[in-house]
Amino acid sequence: MKFFAVNGSPRPKCNTAQLLDKSLEGVKSVFSDAHVERINLYDFPFHGCRSCFACKRVNGKHYGRCVQNDDLKPILDELVQADGIILGSPIYLSDVTGNMRCFLERFVFPFVAYSKTETVEHKRMPLAYIYTMNASEEISYQIGYHDLHDHFEMGLSRTFSEIEHLYVYETYQFRDYSKYVSDAFDEKERKEIRKNQFPKDLESAFELGRKIAIRAEQHD
């Protein structure tokens, strides 16, 4: 079985990446011989959907698949056959990163049929989403993060299956806060959250991975 974690953060070793790696450990706790891999979207150049509609062409040889031939294409070819995928992104300007959004356009849109009756045949693997952010849980609700992401997940669930998710709040962002204009945050408080809460978040990510693996086994 194959499971992938897709990292939408430009940082390959920080909060989001660590949580994704822990989720893959959760997968391995269920399937010790599974192939698991983290894909860092900022490691290679690619673009979002070009609206060519090759994936929608009647009797087209690329129907239901993205035709754009760039560095993302071979990755998409692997992902469409995955047994489970865990997405992860920090929140930038109230939404996932630009690279994650471009990836989702390319990954999801070919499976969406512009039809009242026809559907695009594809593997409906379980998906999960890990969101990381500076905001506290209270503020994230006040400014509508959950409403925004719940709405998007509703669309994803129609294409794949019910989406599992994990929100991680008040992340530790800098090694040294004094080097950056960041007085909106209390560095001492953030260090305490990193020390006390982040290990719990890693445990939650592990359990998220386990859940995706179990769902994949049931789906199979």
Side-chain angles (χ1 to χ4, degrees):
M1 301 186 78
K2 292 186 177 182
F3 296 84
F4 294 90
V6 180
N7 181 23
S9 170
R11 297 180 173 188
K13 297 181 180 179
C14 292
N15 300 307
T16 307
Q18 291 175 38
L19 290 157
L20 288 170
D21 286 348
K22 186 60 69 171
S23 72
L24 292 178
E25 289 180 23
V27 169
K28 293 285 279 187
S29 73
V30 178
F31 297 115
S32 60
D33 59 347
H35 170 86
V36 300
E37 181 181 348
R38 170 159 52 99
I39 297 168
N40 298 310
L41 294 179
Y42 282 81
D43 281 354
F44 51 90
F46 71 98
H47 52 74
C49 176
R50 291 194 181 277
S51 196
C52 69
F53 292 105
C55 65
K56 306 282 184 282
R57 187 176 292 274
V58 176
N59 298 321
K61 65 178 181 179
H62 299 289
Y63 184 74
R65 295 291 183 270
C66 182
V67 70
Q68 299 300 322
N69 190 19
D70 59 8
D71 287 4
L72 185 62
K73 182 67 163 61
I75 293 172
L76 291 175
D77 291 342
E78 280 199 89
L79 290 176
V80 296
Q81 298 301 323
D83 294 288
I85 298 174
I86 303 167
L87 308 167
S89 177
I91 301 303
Y92 290 174
L93 300 177
S94 301
D95 206 344
V96 297
T97 62
N99 276 27
M100 176 58 83
R101 188 72 192 188
C102 286
F103 161 77
L104 289 168
E105 289 176 2
R106 298 275 300 280
F107 179 53
V108 179
F109 184 60
F111 299 143
V112 178
Y114 282 178
S115 172
K116 295 178 180 179
T117 57
E118 183 175 348
T119 59
V120 179
E121 292 187 9
H122 65 282
K123 194 170 183 178
R124 295 175 65 86
M125 75 285 286
L127 263 62
Y129 224 131
I130 297 176
Y131 306 94
T132 63
M133 65 194 74
N134 268 320
S136 67
E137 182 173 7
E138 180 182 5
I139 290 176
S140 73
Y141 275 102
Q142 288 177 358
I143 59 183
Y145 283 178
H146 293 260
D147 291 338
L148 173 66
H149 300 130
D150 285 350
H151 180 75
F152 182 71
E153 286 178 17
M154 182 173 63
L156 277 182
S157 67
R158 287 196 296 266
T159 305
F160 295 98
S161 59
E162 183 181 355
I163 311 299
E164 310 289 343
H165 63 233
L166 170 64
Y167 284 87
V168 176
Y169 308 99
E170 298 180 284
T171 54
Y172 192 70
Q173 193 171 17
F174 308 117
R175 293 183 183 276
D176 183 352
Y177 276 64
S178 68
K179 293 182 178 180
Y180 306 92
V181 178
S182 57
D183 53 87
F185 311 110
D186 185 323
E187 182 179 7
K188 183 178 179 181
E189 181 181 5
R190 287 299 169 99
K191 282 184 176 179
E192 285 298 308
I193 293 171
R194 176 74 180 187
K195 177 182 177 181
N196 298 316
Q197 179 60 40
F198 195 67
K200 297 177 184 177
D201 294 328
L202 290 172
E203 290 177 6
S204 296
F206 182 91
E207 290 303 318
L208 186 70
R210 277 182 53 82
K211 193 168 186 178
I212 288 298
I214 291 169
R215 284 183 53 188
E217 184 177 37
Q218 294 169 343
H219 183 270
D220 189 56

